[in-house]
Coordinates of all heavy atoms in Angstrom, one line a residue:
M207 N -118.9 -41.7 133.3 CA -117.5 -42.0 133.4 C -116.7 -40.7 133.7 O -117.0 -39.6 133.2 CB -117.0 -42.5 132.0 CG -115.5 -42.9 132.0 SD -114.9 -43.2 130.4 CE -114.7 -41.5 129.7
N208 N -115.7 -40.8 134.5 CA -114.9 -39.7 134.9 C -113.7 -39.6 133.8 O -113.0 -40.6 133.7 CB -114.3 -39.9 136.3 CG -113.4 -38.7 136.7 OD1 -112.9 -38.0 135.9 ND2 -113.3 -38.6 138.0
P209 N -113.6 -38.5 133.1 CA -112.6 -38.4 132.1 C -111.2 -38.6 132.6 O -110.2 -39.0 131.9 CB -112.8 -37.1 131.4 CG -113.6 -36.3 132.4 CD -114.4 -37.3 133.2
C210 N -111.0 -38.3 133.9 CA -109.7 -38.4 134.5 C -109.2 -39.9 134.5 O -108.0 -40.2 134.4 CB -109.7 -37.9 136.0 SG -110.1 -36.2 136.1
D211 N -110.2 -40.8 134.6 CA -109.8 -42.2 134.6 C -109.2 -42.7 133.2 O -108.4 -43.6 133.2 CB -111.0 -43.1 134.9 CG -111.5 -42.9 136.3 OD1 -110.7 -42.4 137.1 OD2 -112.7 -43.2 136.6
E212 N -109.6 -42.0 132.2 CA -109.1 -42.4 130.8 C -108.1 -41.4 130.3 O -107.6 -41.6 129.2 CB -110.3 -42.4 129.8 CG -111.5 -43.3 130.3 CD -111.0 -44.8 130.2 OE1 -110.2 -45.1 129.4 OE2 -111.5 -45.5 131.1
C213 N -107.7 -40.5 131.1 CA -106.8 -39.4 130.6 C -105.4 -40.0 130.4 O -104.9 -40.6 131.3 CB -106.8 -38.3 131.6 SG -105.8 -36.9 131.1
P214 N -104.8 -39.7 129.2 CA -103.5 -40.2 128.9 C -102.5 -39.6 130.0 O -102.6 -38.4 130.3 CB -103.1 -39.7 127.5 CG -104.5 -39.5 126.9 CD -105.4 -39.1 128.0
I215 N -101.5 -40.3 130.4 CA -100.6 -39.9 131.5 C -99.9 -38.6 131.1 O -99.7 -37.7 131.9 CB -99.7 -41.0 131.9 CG1 -99.0 -40.7 133.2 CG2 -98.7 -41.3 130.8 CD1 -99.9 -40.6 134.4
D216 N -99.5 -38.5 129.8 CA -98.8 -37.3 129.4 C -99.7 -36.0 129.5 O -99.2 -35.0 129.9 CB -98.3 -37.4 128.0 CG -97.1 -38.4 127.9 OD1 -96.2 -38.3 128.8 OD2 -97.0 -39.2 127.0
D217 N -101.0 -36.2 129.2 CA -101.9 -35.1 129.3 C -102.1 -34.7 130.8 O -102.1 -33.6 131.2 CB -103.3 -35.4 128.8 CG -103.3 -35.5 127.2 OD1 -102.2 -35.2 126.6 OD2 -104.3 -35.9 126.7
K218 N -102.2 -35.8 131.6 CA -102.4 -35.6 133.1 C -101.2 -34.8 133.7 O -101.4 -33.9 134.4 CB -102.5 -37.0 133.7 CG -102.9 -37.0 135.1 CD -103.3 -38.4 135.6 CE -104.6 -38.8 135.0 NZ -105.2 -39.9 135.8
I219 N -100.0 -35.2 133.3 CA -98.8 -34.6 133.9 C -98.7 -33.1 133.3 O -98.4 -32.2 134.1 CB -97.5 -35.4 133.6 CG1 -97.6 -36.7 134.4 CG2 -96.3 -34.6 133.9 CD1 -96.5 -37.7 134.0
Y220 N -99.0 -33.0 132.1 CA -98.9 -31.6 131.5 C -100.0 -30.7 132.1 O -99.7 -29.5 132.4 CB -99.1 -31.7 129.9 CG -99.1 -30.4 129.2 CD1 -98.0 -29.8 128.9 CD2 -100.3 -29.8 129.0 CE1 -98.0 -28.6 128.2 CE2 -100.4 -28.6 128.3 CZ -99.2 -28.0 127.9 OH -99.2 -26.8 127.3
E221 N -101.2 -31.2 132.2 CA -102.3 -30.3 132.6 C -102.5 -30.2 134.1 O -102.8 -29.1 134.5 CB -103.5 -30.9 131.9 CG -104.8 -30.3 132.3 CD -105.0 -28.8 131.8 OE1 -104.4 -28.5 130.8 OE2 -105.7 -28.0 132.4
C222 N -102.4 -31.2 134.8 CA -102.9 -31.1 136.2 C -102.0 -31.7 137.3 O -102.1 -31.3 138.4 CB -104.3 -31.6 136.3 SG -104.4 -33.4 136.0
C223 N -101.3 -32.7 137.0 CA -100.6 -33.4 138.1 C -99.1 -33.4 137.9 O -98.4 -34.3 138.3 CB -101.1 -34.9 138.2 SG -102.8 -34.9 138.7
G224 N -98.6 -32.3 137.3 CA -97.1 -32.2 137.1 C -96.3 -31.9 138.3 O -95.1 -32.0 138.4
R225 N -97.1 -31.3 139.3 CA -96.4 -30.9 140.6 C -97.5 -30.8 141.7 O -98.7 -30.6 141.3 CB -95.7 -29.6 140.5 CG -96.6 -28.4 140.2 CD -95.8 -27.2 139.8 NE -95.1 -27.4 138.5 CZ -93.8 -27.3 138.3 NH1 -93.1 -26.8 139.3 NH2 -93.3 -27.5 137.2
F226 N -97.1 -30.9 142.9 CA -98.1 -30.8 144.0 C -98.4 -29.3 144.1 O -97.5 -28.4 144.3 CB -97.5 -31.3 145.3 CG -98.4 -31.3 146.4 CD1 -99.6 -32.1 146.4 CD2 -98.2 -30.6 147.6 CE1 -100.5 -32.2 147.4 CE2 -99.1 -30.6 148.7 CZ -100.3 -31.4 148.6
P227 N -99.6 -28.9 143.9 CA -99.9 -27.4 143.8 C -99.6 -26.6 145.0 O -99.3 -25.4 144.9 CB -101.4 -27.4 143.5 CG -102.0 -28.7 143.9 CD -100.8 -29.7 143.8
E228 N -99.6 -27.2 146.2 CA -99.4 -26.4 147.4 C -98.0 -26.0 147.6 O -97.6 -25.0 148.3 CB -100.0 -27.0 148.6 CG -101.5 -27.1 148.6 CD -102.2 -27.5 149.9 OE1 -101.5 -28.1 150.7 OE2 -103.3 -27.1 150.1
T229 N -97.1 -26.9 147.1 CA -95.6 -26.6 147.4 C -94.8 -26.6 146.1 O -93.6 -26.2 146.2 CB -95.1 -27.8 148.3 OG1 -95.2 -29.0 147.6 CG2 -95.8 -27.9 149.6
G230 N -95.4 -27.0 145.0 CA -94.6 -27.1 143.8 C -93.7 -28.3 143.7 O -92.9 -28.5 142.8
E231 N -93.8 -29.2 144.7 CA -92.9 -30.4 144.8 C -93.2 -31.3 143.7 O -94.3 -31.5 143.2 CB -93.2 -31.1 146.1 CG -92.2 -32.2 146.5 CD -92.6 -32.8 147.8 OE1 -93.6 -32.4 148.5 OE2 -91.9 -33.8 148.2
T232 N -92.1 -31.9 143.2 CA -92.1 -32.9 142.1 C -91.3 -34.1 142.6 O -90.5 -34.0 143.5 CB -91.6 -32.4 140.8 OG1 -90.2 -32.0 141.0 CG2 -92.4 -31.2 140.3
A233 N -91.5 -35.2 141.9 CA -90.7 -36.4 142.1 C -90.6 -37.2 140.8 O -91.4 -36.9 139.9 CB -91.4 -37.3 143.2
C234 N -89.6 -38.0 140.7 CA -89.5 -38.8 139.5 C -90.6 -39.8 139.4 O -91.0 -40.4 140.4 CB -88.2 -39.6 139.5 SG -86.7 -38.5 139.3
F235 N -91.2 -39.9 138.2 CA -92.3 -40.8 137.9 C -92.0 -41.6 136.7 O -91.5 -41.0 135.6 CB -93.5 -39.9 137.6 CG -94.8 -40.7 137.3 CD1 -95.6 -41.1 138.3 CD2 -95.1 -41.0 136.0 CE1 -96.8 -41.8 138.0 CE2 -96.2 -41.7 135.7 CZ -97.1 -42.1 136.7
T236 N -92.1 -42.9 136.7 CA -91.8 -43.7 135.6 C -93.1 -44.1 134.9 O -94.0 -44.7 135.5 CB -91.1 -45.0 136.0 OG1 -89.9 -44.6 136.7 CG2 -90.7 -45.9 134.8
T237 N -93.2 -43.8 133.6 CA -94.4 -44.1 132.8 C -94.4 -45.5 132.5 O -93.4 -46.2 132.6 CB -94.4 -43.2 131.5 OG1 -93.3 -43.6 130.8 CG2 -94.4 -41.7 131.9
T238 N -95.6 -46.0 132.0 CA -95.7 -47.4 131.6 C -94.8 -47.8 130.5 O -94.4 -48.9 130.3 CB -97.1 -47.8 131.3 OG1 -97.6 -46.9 130.3 CG2 -98.0 -47.7 132.6
D239 N -94.4 -46.8 129.6 CA -93.5 -47.1 128.6 C -92.0 -46.7 129.0 O -91.2 -46.5 128.1 CB -93.9 -46.4 127.3 CG -94.0 -44.9 127.4 OD1 -93.9 -44.4 128.5 OD2 -94.1 -44.2 126.3
N240 N -91.8 -46.7 130.3 CA -90.5 -46.6 130.9 C -89.7 -45.3 130.7 O -88.5 -45.3 130.6 CB -89.6 -47.8 130.3 CG -88.8 -48.4 131.4 OD1 -89.1 -48.3 132.6 ND2 -87.7 -49.0 131.1
R241 N -90.5 -44.2 130.6 CA -89.8 -42.9 130.6 C -89.9 -42.4 132.0 O -90.8 -42.6 132.7 CB -90.6 -41.9 129.7 CG -90.4 -42.2 128.2 CD -91.3 -41.3 127.3 NE -92.7 -41.7 127.5 CZ -93.6 -40.8 127.8 NH1 -93.3 -39.6 128.0 NH2 -94.9 -41.2 128.0
T242 N -88.8 -41.6 132.4 CA -88.8 -41.0 133.7 C -89.1 -39.5 133.5 O -88.4 -38.8 132.8 CB -87.4 -41.2 134.4 OG1 -87.2 -42.6 134.5 CG2 -87.4 -40.6 135.8
V243 N -90.1 -39.1 134.2 CA -90.5 -37.6 134.1 C -90.7 -37.1 135.5 O -90.8 -37.9 136.4 CB -91.8 -37.5 133.2 CG1 -91.6 -37.9 131.8 CG2 -93.0 -38.3 133.8
Y244 N -90.9 -35.8 135.6 CA -91.3 -35.2 136.9 C -92.8 -35.1 137.0 O -93.4 -34.7 136.0 CB -90.6 -33.9 137.1 CG -89.1 -34.0 137.3 CD1 -88.2 -33.6 136.3 CD2 -88.6 -34.4 138.5 CE1 -86.8 -33.7 136.5 CE2 -87.3 -34.5 138.8 CZ -86.4 -34.1 137.8 OH -85.0 -34.2 138.0
A245 N -93.3 -35.4 138.2 CA -94.7 -35.3 138.4 C -95.0 -35.1 139.9 O -94.0 -35.2 140.7 CB -95.4 -36.6 137.9
C246 N -96.2 -34.8 140.3 CA -96.6 -34.7 141.7 C -96.2 -36.0 142.4 O -96.5 -37.1 141.9 CB -98.1 -34.5 141.8 SG -98.7 -34.4 143.5
P247 N -95.6 -35.9 143.6 CA -95.2 -37.1 144.3 C -96.4 -38.0 144.7 O -96.2 -39.1 145.0 CB -94.6 -36.5 145.6 CG -94.2 -35.1 145.3 CD -95.2 -34.6 144.2
N248 N -97.6 -37.4 144.6 CA -98.8 -38.2 145.0 C -99.4 -39.0 143.8 O -100.3 -39.8 144.0 CB -99.9 -37.3 145.6 CG -99.4 -36.7 146.9 OD1 -99.0 -37.4 147.8 ND2 -99.4 -35.4 146.9
L249 N -98.8 -38.8 142.6 CA -99.3 -39.5 141.5 C -98.9 -40.9 141.5 O -97.7 -41.2 141.5 CB -98.9 -38.8 140.2 CG -99.5 -39.3 138.9 CD1 -101.0 -39.1 138.9 CD2 -98.8 -38.6 137.7
R250 N -99.8 -41.9 141.5 CA -99.4 -43.3 141.6 C -99.1 -43.8 140.2 O -99.4 -43.2 139.2 CB -100.6 -44.1 142.1 CG -101.1 -43.7 143.5 CD -102.1 -44.7 144.1 NE -103.0 -45.2 143.1 CZ -104.2 -45.7 143.4 NH1 -104.7 -45.6 144.6 NH2 -105.0 -46.2 142.5
A251 N -98.4 -45.0 140.2 CA -98.0 -45.6 139.0 C -99.1 -45.9 138.0 O -99.0 -45.9 136.8 CB -97.2 -46.9 139.3
D252 N -100.3 -46.1 138.6 CA -101.5 -46.4 137.7 C -102.2 -45.1 137.2 O -103.2 -45.1 136.6 CB -102.5 -47.2 138.5 CG -103.1 -46.5 139.7 OD1 -102.8 -45.4 140.0 OD2 -103.9 -47.2 140.4
G253 N -101.5 -43.9 137.5 CA -102.1 -42.7 137.0 C -103.1 -42.0 137.9 O -103.7 -41.0 137.5
K254 N -103.4 -42.7 139.0 CA -104.4 -42.1 139.9 C -103.8 -41.4 141.1 O -102.6 -41.6 141.4 CB -105.3 -43.2 140.4 CG -106.0 -43.9 139.3 CD -107.2 -44.7 139.7 CE -107.9 -45.1 138.4 NZ -109.0 -46.1 138.6
C255 N -104.6 -40.5 141.7 CA -104.0 -39.7 142.8 C -104.0 -40.6 144.1 O -105.0 -41.1 144.5 CB -104.9 -38.5 143.0 SG -104.4 -37.5 144.5
G256 N -102.9 -40.6 144.7 CA -102.7 -41.4 145.9 C -103.4 -40.8 147.2 O -103.5 -41.5 148.2
I257 N -103.8 -39.5 147.1 CA -104.4 -38.9 148.2 C -105.8 -38.3 147.8 O -106.2 -37.3 148.2 CB -103.5 -37.8 148.9 CG1 -103.2 -36.7 147.9 CG2 -102.3 -38.4 149.5 CD1 -102.6 -35.5 148.5
Y258 N -106.4 -39.0 146.8 CA -107.6 -38.4 146.2 C -108.6 -37.9 147.2 O -109.1 -36.8 147.0 CB -108.2 -39.5 145.3 CG -109.4 -38.9 144.5 CD1 -109.1 -38.2 143.3 CD2 -110.7 -39.1 144.8 CE1 -110.1 -37.6 142.6 CE2 -111.7 -38.5 144.1 CZ -111.4 -37.8 143.0 OH -112.5 -37.3 142.2
E259 N -108.9 -38.6 148.2 CA -110.0 -38.2 149.2 C -109.5 -37.0 150.0 O -110.4 -36.2 150.5 CB -110.3 -39.3 150.2 CG -110.9 -40.6 149.5 CD -112.2 -40.3 148.7 OE1 -112.9 -39.4 149.2 OE2 -112.4 -40.9 147.7
N260 N -108.2 -36.7 150.1 CA -107.7 -35.6 150.8 C -106.9 -34.7 150.0 O -106.1 -33.9 150.5 CB -106.8 -36.1 152.0 CG -107.6 -37.0 152.9 OD1 -108.7 -36.6 153.5 ND2 -107.2 -38.2 153.1
R261 N -107.1 -34.7 148.7 CA -106.3 -33.8 147.8 C -106.6 -32.4 148.1 O -107.7 -32.1 148.5 CB -106.5 -34.2 146.3 CG -107.9 -33.9 145.8 CD -108.2 -34.7 144.5 NE -109.4 -34.3 143.9 CZ -110.6 -34.6 144.3 NH1 -110.8 -35.2 145.4 NH2 -111.7 -34.2 143.6
P262 N -105.6 -31.5 147.9 CA -105.9 -30.1 148.2 C -107.0 -29.5 147.4 O -107.3 -30.0 146.3 CB -104.5 -29.4 147.8 CG -103.5 -30.5 147.7 CD -104.3 -31.8 147.4
Y263 N -107.5 -28.4 147.9 CA -108.6 -27.7 147.2 C -108.1 -27.3 145.7 O -109.0 -27.3 144.8 CB -109.0 -26.4 147.9 CG -110.0 -25.6 147.2 CD1 -111.4 -26.1 147.3 CD2 -109.7 -24.5 146.5 CE1 -112.4 -25.4 146.6 CE2 -110.7 -23.8 145.9 CZ -112.0 -24.2 145.9 OH -113.0 -23.6 145.2
A264 N -106.9 -26.9 145.6 CA -106.4 -26.5 144.2 C -106.6 -27.7 143.2 O -106.9 -27.5 142.1 CB -104.9 -26.1 144.3
C265 N -106.5 -28.9 143.7 CA -106.7 -30.1 142.8 C -108.2 -30.3 142.6 O -108.6 -30.5 141.5 CB -106.1 -31.3 143.4 SG -104.3 -31.2 143.8
Q266 N -109.0 -30.1 143.6 CA -110.4 -30.3 143.5 C -111.0 -29.3 142.5 O -111.9 -29.6 141.8 CB -111.1 -30.2 144.8 CG -110.7 -31.2 145.8 CD -111.3 -31.0 147.2 OE1 -112.5 -30.6 147.3 NE2 -110.6 -31.3 148.2
A267 N -110.5 -28.0 142.6 CA -111.0 -26.9 141.8 C -110.3 -26.7 140.5 O -110.6 -25.8 139.8 CB -111.0 -25.7 142.6
H268 N -109.4 -27.6 140.2 CA -108.6 -27.4 138.9 C -109.5 -27.2 137.7 O -110.4 -28.0 137.5 CB -107.7 -28.7 138.7 CG -106.9 -28.5 137.5 ND1 -105.8 -27.7 137.3 CD2 -107.0 -29.2 136.3 CE1 -105.3 -27.8 136.1 NE2 -106.0 -28.7 135.5
H269 N -109.2 -26.2 137.0 CA -110.0 -25.9 135.8 C -109.4 -26.6 134.6 O -108.4 -26.2 134.0 CB -110.0 -24.4 135.6 CG -110.9 -23.9 134.6 ND1 -112.3 -23.8 134.8 CD2 -110.7 -23.5 133.3 CE1 -112.9 -23.3 133.7 NE2 -111.9 -23.2 132.8
C270 N -110.0 -27.7 134.2 CA -109.4 -28.6 133.2 C -109.9 -28.2 131.8 O -111.1 -28.2 131.6 CB -109.8 -30.0 133.5 SG -109.1 -31.1 132.3
Y271 N -109.0 -27.9 131.0 CA -109.4 -27.6 129.6 C -110.1 -28.7 128.9 O -110.9 -28.5 128.0 CB -108.1 -27.2 128.8 CG -108.3 -26.9 127.4 CD1 -109.0 -25.7 127.1 CD2 -107.7 -27.6 126.4 CE1 -109.2 -25.4 125.7 CE2 -107.9 -27.3 125.1 CZ -108.6 -26.2 124.7 OH -108.8 -25.8 123.4
H272 N -109.8 -30.0 129.3 CA -110.4 -31.1 128.7 C -111.9 -31.1 128.9 O -112.7 -31.3 128.0 CB -109.9 -32.4 129.3 CG -108.5 -32.7 129.0 ND1 -108.0 -34.0 128.9 CD2 -107.5 -31.8 128.7 CE1 -106.7 -33.9 128.6 NE2 -106.4 -32.6 128.5
Y273 N -112.3 -30.8 130.1 CA -113.8 -30.7 130.4 C -114.4 -29.5 129.7 O -115.5 -29.6 129.1 CB -114.0 -30.4 131.9 CG -113.8 -31.6 132.8 CD1 -112.6 -31.7 133.6 CD2 -114.7 -32.6 132.9 CE1 -112.4 -32.8 134.4 CE2 -114.5 -33.7 133.8 CZ -113.4 -33.8 134.5 OH -113.2 -34.8 135.3
D274 N -113.7 -28.4 129.7 CA -114.2 -27.2 129.2 C -114.5 -27.3 127.7 O -115.5 -26.7 127.2 CB -113.2 -26.1 129.3 CG -113.7 -25.0 130.2 OD1 -114.6 -25.2 130.9 OD2 -113.1 -23.9 130.1
S275 N -113.7 -28.0 127.0 CA -113.8 -27.9 125.5 C -114.5 -29.1 125.0 O -114.6 -29.4 123.8 CB -112.4 -27.9 124.9 OG -111.7 -29.1 125.3
T276 N -115.2 -29.9 125.8 CA -115.9 -31.1 125.4 C -117.3 -31.1 125.8 O -117.9 -30.2 126.3 CB -115.1 -32.3 125.9 OG1 -115.3 -32.3 127.3 CG2 -113.6 -32.3 125.6
D277 N -117.8 -32.3 125.7 CA -119.2 -32.5 126.1 C -119.3 -32.9 127.6 O -120.3 -33.5 128.1 CB -119.8 -33.7 125.3 CG -119.0 -34.9 125.4 OD1 -118.0 -35.0 126.2 OD2 -119.3 -35.9 124.8
S278 N -118.3 -32.5 128.4 CA -118.3 -32.7 129.8 C -117.8 -34.0 130.3 O -117.6 -34.3 131.5 CB -119.6 -32.4 130.5 OG -120.0 -31.1 130.2
I279 N -117.6 -34.9 129.3 CA -117.1 -36.2 129.8 C -115.8 -36.6 129.0 O -115.3 -37.6 129.1 CB -118.1 -37.4 129.6 CG1 -118.5 -37.5 128.1 CG2 -119.3 -37.2 130.5 CD1 -119.3 -38.8 127.9
G280 N -115.3 -35.6 128.3 CA -114.0 -35.8 127.7 C -114.0 -36.3 126.3 O -112.9 -36.2 125.6
N281 N -115.1 -36.8 125.8 CA -115.0 -37.4 124.4 C -114.7 -36.4 123.3 O -114.0 -36.7 122.4 CB -116.4 -38.1 124.1 CG -116.6 -39.3 125.0 OD1 -115.6 -39.9 125.4 ND2 -117.8 -39.5 125.4
G282 N -115.3 -35.2 123.4 CA -115.0 -34.2 122.4 C -113.5 -33.8 122.3 O -113.0 -33.7 121.2
F283 N -112.9 -33.7 123.5 CA -111.5 -33.4 123.4 C -110.7 -34.5 122.8 O -109.8 -34.2 122.0 CB -111.0 -33.1 124.9 CG -109.5 -32.9 124.9 CD1 -109.0 -31.6 124.6 CD2 -108.6 -33.9 125.2 CE1 -107.6 -31.4 124.6 CE2 -107.2 -33.7 125.1 CZ -106.7 -32.4 124.8
Q284 N -111.0 -35.7 123.1 CA -110.2 -36.8 122.6 C -110.4 -36.9 121.1 O -109.5 -37.2 120.3 CB -110.6 -38.2 123.2 CG -110.3 -38.3 124.7 CD -108.8 -38.1 125.0 OE1 -108.0 -38.4 124.1 NE2 -108.5 -37.7 126.2
A285 N -111.6 -36.6 120.6 CA -111.9 -36.6 119.2 C -111.1 -35.5 118.5 O -110.5 -35.7 117.4 CB -113.4 -36.5 118.9
L286 N -111.1 -34.4 119.1 CA -110.4 -33.2 118.4 C -108.9 -33.5 118.4 O -108.2 -33.2 117.5 CB -110.7 -31.9 119.2 CG -112.0 -31.3 118.9 CD1 -112.3 -30.2 119.9 CD2 -112.1 -30.8 117.5
K287 N -108.4 -34.1 119.5 CA -107.0 -34.4 119.6 C -106.6 -35.4 118.6 O -105.5 -35.3 118.0 CB -106.6 -34.9 121.0 CG -105.2 -34.9 121.3 CD -104.8 -35.2 122.7 CE -103.3 -35.4 122.8 NZ -103.0 -36.0 124.0
A288 N -107.4 -36.4 118.4 CA -107.1 -37.4 117.4 C -107.1 -36.8 116.0 O -106.3 -37.1 115.1 CB -108.2 -38.5 117.4
Q289 N -107.9 -35.8 115.8 CA -108.0 -35.1 114.5 C -106.8 -34.1 114.3 O -106.2 -34.1 113.2 CB -109.3 -34.3 114.3 CG -109.5 -33.7 113.0 CD -110.8 -33.1 112.8 OE1 -111.7 -33.3 113.6 NE2 -111.0 -32.3 111.8
W290 N -106.5 -33.4 115.3 CA -105.5 -32.3 115.2 C -104.1 -32.6 115.8 O -103.2 -31.8 115.6 CB -106.1 -31.0 115.8 CG -107.3 -30.5 115.1 CD1 -108.6 -30.6 115.5 CD2 -107.3 -29.9 113.8 NE1 -109.4 -30.1 114.6 CE2 -108.7 -29.6 113.5 CE3 -106.4 -29.5 112.8 CZ2 -109.1 -29.0 112.3 CZ3 -106.8 -28.9 111.7 CH2 -108.2 -28.7 111.4
G291 N -104.1 -33.6 116.6 CA -102.8 -34.0 117.2 C -102.6 -33.2 118.5 O -103.4 -32.4 118.9
S292 N -101.5 -33.4 119.1 CA -101.3 -32.7 120.4 C -101.0 -31.2 120.3 O -101.1 -30.5 121.3 CB -100.1 -33.4 121.2 OG -99.0 -33.3 120.4
C293 N -100.8 -30.7 119.1 CA -100.7 -29.3 119.0 C -102.0 -28.6 119.3 O -102.1 -27.3 119.5 CB -100.3 -28.9 117.6 SG -101.4 -29.3 116.3
F294 N -103.1 -29.4 119.4 CA -104.4 -28.8 119.7 C -104.4 -28.0 121.0 O -105.1 -27.1 121.1 CB -105.4 -29.9 119.6 CG -106.8 -29.4 120.0 CD1 -107.5 -28.5 119.2 CD2 -107.4 -29.8 121.2 CE1 -108.7 -28.1 119.5 CE2 -108.6 -29.3 121.5 CZ -109.3 -28.4 120.7
Y295 N -103.6 -28.5 121.9 CA -103.6 -27.8 123.2 C -102.2 -27.4 123.4 O -101.8 -26.5 124.0 CB -104.1 -28.7 124.4 CG -103.2 -29.8 124.7 CD1 -102.6 -29.9 126.0 CD2 -102.9 -30.9 123.8 CE1 -101.8 -31.0 126.3 CE2 -102.1 -31.9 124.1 CZ -101.5 -32.0 125.4 OH -100.7 -33.0 125.7
Ligands
LIG369 S1 -108.3 -33.0 135.3 FE1 -108.1 -33.0 133.1 S2 -106.0 -33.3 132.5 FE2 -106.3 -33.8 134.7 S3 -106.6 -36.0 134.7 FE3 -108.6 -35.1 134.6 S4 -109.1 -35.0 132.4 FE4 -106.9 -35.3 132.6
LIG370 S1 -102.3 -34.3 144.8 FE1 -103.3 -35.8 143.5 S2 -104.7 -34.6 142.2 FE2 -103.3 -33.1 143.2 S3 -101.7 -32.8 141.7 FE3 -101.0 -34.5 143.0 S4 -101.7 -36.4 142.0 FE4 -102.8 -34.7 141.1

């Protein structure tokens, strides 16, 4: 499983998809619980990248703390976050 598929949208926007890395561009993004936040214009409503196959190198090479701090599939991070809350990161 790819941890990005299960990643909470707030983590995604905070960590990796808050802006388009090549230009810093943002656009209004409406979350499923109806909050409006700024995010990369390519972030789709379902939380996936709209240009995934052609996303910039910066996105492909993004160094994700979730991967780093876990068993490589994200489970460790989610468990730690559940235990310690969002202050963990
Ligand atoms: S790279 Fe990390 S923060 Fe970004 S969607 Fe994937 S798991 Fe979430
Ligand atoms: S281009 Fe795609 S992977 Fe890169 S920041 Fe935007 S939504 Fe995320």
